[in-house]
Amino acid sequence: MNLHQEFNEEILAWVESVGGGYIWEPEVFAVTLLGVDLSEYGHSKLLGLEGVRQIAVDVGSLPVSALNSLSRIPGLSSLVLRGGSLSVEDVESLGAGGAKIELIDR
């Protein structure tokens, strides 16, 4: 087990402890925190994930700056956002981070 794997495992244990879930397989590494109020727990722990391809979160009361940080995680290909009221400019700004921004309804 390498250091990155240990670090990911620590973060994923936190994800589960706050009510989220994940898939971590050779072809797919996705984290979902839908239904979890990240404004209560913070989002910064997720920024340390290595190799994650998709993250799904409720926008809730997260500021655009927090979503912007998530969208810029190296290697992230998709950031799924549920709820909230993001402007077109916000979504465009988030997409500039490289990850595809997917908006879903509640």
Side-chain angles (χ1 to χ4, degrees):
M1 183 180 309
N2 65 37
L3 181 60
H4 297 298
Q5 184 176 350
E6 289 177 23
F7 197 58
N8 276 348
E9 287 177 354
E10 178 184 316
I11 296 169
L12 295 175
W14 172 83
V15 165
E16 286 186 318
S17 76
V18 298
Y22 65 90
I23 298 171
W24 190 10
E25 297 177 359
E27 301 297 317
V28 177
F29 184 11
V31 172
T32 179
L33 286 151
L34 296 174
V36 175
D37 183 0
L38 282 182
S39 66
E40 179 181 340
Y41 298 106
H43 72 286
S44 60
K45 196 146 184 99
L46 297 173
L47 301 178
L49 284 171
E50 298 261 338
V52 67
R53 304 297 293 158
Q54 182 180 66
I55 295 176
V57 298
D58 285 318
V59 173
S61 59
L62 285 177
V64 173
S65 60
L67 298 173
N68 200 10
S69 295
L70 291 175
S71 74
R72 293 179 181 342
I73 293 174
L76 188 72
S77 59
S78 174
L79 179 60
V80 178
L81 303 174
R82 182 172 73 174
S85 55
L86 297 172
S87 70
V88 172
E89 293 81 16
D90 290 339
V91 174
E92 288 174 357
S93 171
L94 294 173
K100 178 181 177 187
I101 306 303
E102 299 180 47
L103 303 175
I104 60 174
D105 293 327
R106 291 197 181 267

